[in-house]
Amino acid sequence: MTGPFDEREARRQYVRRRQTIVFGIVSTVLVAVLIIAMLFYTHVLGHSAGSSPAAQPNYGVQAPCAPKDQDGNASKYVDNASVSVRLLNGTKFTGFAKAVGDALENRNFNVTAIQTYNRQDVERTTIYFGKGAIPQAYTVGSNFTDAILEMDDRQDKLIDVVLGATFNDLQEQKKVPVSGGNISSIKGCVPADKMTKLPKAGQHDPVQ
């Protein structure tokens, strides 16, 4: 017959086995968490902030540098009244472009038209322009907080602003560079003459 001593010893051994199993599981989980955390920290897993399109200069779209004059001086932000802008609503929200157009007119931009874009699922506001209107594009872009600047093959100086769903509001006027100030080119920009394979301007036309 098994005595009290044997029962107590058996219970102690059982408890020790249970503790060993629990501690083993906990240790394994902690090691796995540590390894995964290190992989994310070293960017082996996931994307680093630098590789995210939203974190890249100009949201990953190649942009032209602001041109320099014959003396090598930086381009200047131009007077708003000298910039012709066409507002295109790339969202499903009726009246969106009209509201933004009115706000730009209040800042003295020459808004030539407010129309519906040929797509209503544009995510991020994009500013389209030609090689001859880079300072104008930078001037318009400085009034937006999250717009993409994209140069196409148009020959005129009209600036198309296609409004996307991420647009919230214009940049505060006190934060907008003043006319005549030196333009700060987008980081990672390319000289305009080096950009040869440009998108066609016609694809940004509004709904007819």
Side-chain angles (χ1 to χ4, degrees):
M1 180 174 179
T2 304
F5 177 81
D6 295 329
E7 292 178 359
R8 287 197 297 270
E9 181 62 26
R11 281 198 294 271
R12 280 197 293 268
Q13 291 179 1
Y14 173 76
V15 170
R16 281 198 294 268
R17 285 198 299 271
R18 294 278 296 180
Q19 289 175 336
T20 301
I21 293 172
V22 171
F23 289 149
I25 293 173
V26 171
S27 299
T28 301
V29 171
L30 288 176
V31 170
V33 170
L34 180 61
I35 292 173
I36 292 172
M38 288 299 295
L39 290 174
F40 273 107
Y41 181 77
T42 57
H43 308 310
V44 173
L45 291 178
H47 295 286
S48 68
S51 66
S52 171
Q56 293 179 18
N58 204 40
Y59 299 93
V61 176
Q62 190 176 71
C65 302
K68 298 183 182 297
D69 63 21
Q70 293 180 344
D71 298 323
N73 298 316
S75 296
K76 311 290 184 183
Y77 289 102
V78 303
D79 182 69
N80 292 355
S82 69
V83 184
S84 295
V85 179
R86 178 171 62 169
L87 262 292
L88 301 170
N89 189 357
T91 76
K92 61 183 179 181
F93 302 109
T94 304
F96 191 29
K98 177 66 167 60
V100 179
D102 290 345
L104 289 176
E105 285 184 333
N106 288 336
R107 298 188 179 191
N108 296 320
F109 283 100
N110 177 28
V111 178
T112 63
I114 298 174
Q115 297 172 292
T116 301
Y117 191 47
N118 54 40
R119 286 172 41 211
Q120 276 69 62
D121 59 351
V122 176
E123 181 176 355
R124 191 170 300 280
T125 298
T126 304
I127 298 170
Y128 296 101
F129 57 96
K131 189 178 292 186
I134 297 174
Q136 289 85 345
Y138 270 90
T139 300
V140 175
S142 68
N143 286 265
F144 289 81
T145 59
D146 67 343
I148 299 169
L149 267 63
E150 185 167 347
M151 189 167 75
D152 57 29
D153 67 353
R154 70 185 64 195
Q155 300 301 308
D156 58 25
K157 291 191 175 183
L158 177 66
I159 307 294
D160 277 337
V161 177
V162 179
L163 295 171
T166 62
F167 177 84
N168 183 40
D169 200 357
L170 294 177
Q171 179 68 272
E172 295 179 50
Q173 284 192 272
K174 63 182 180 181
K175 295 182 180 180
V176 176
V178 297
S179 172
N182 290 340
I183 294 177
S184 297
S185 291
I186 293 172
K187 184 179 180 181
C189 66
V190 177
D193 291 339
K194 302 292 185 182
M195 298 177 63
T196 55
K197 296 181 180 179
L198 299 175
K200 296 295 182 183
Q203 65 181 310
H204 309 305
D205 287 344
V207 172
Q208 298 299 323

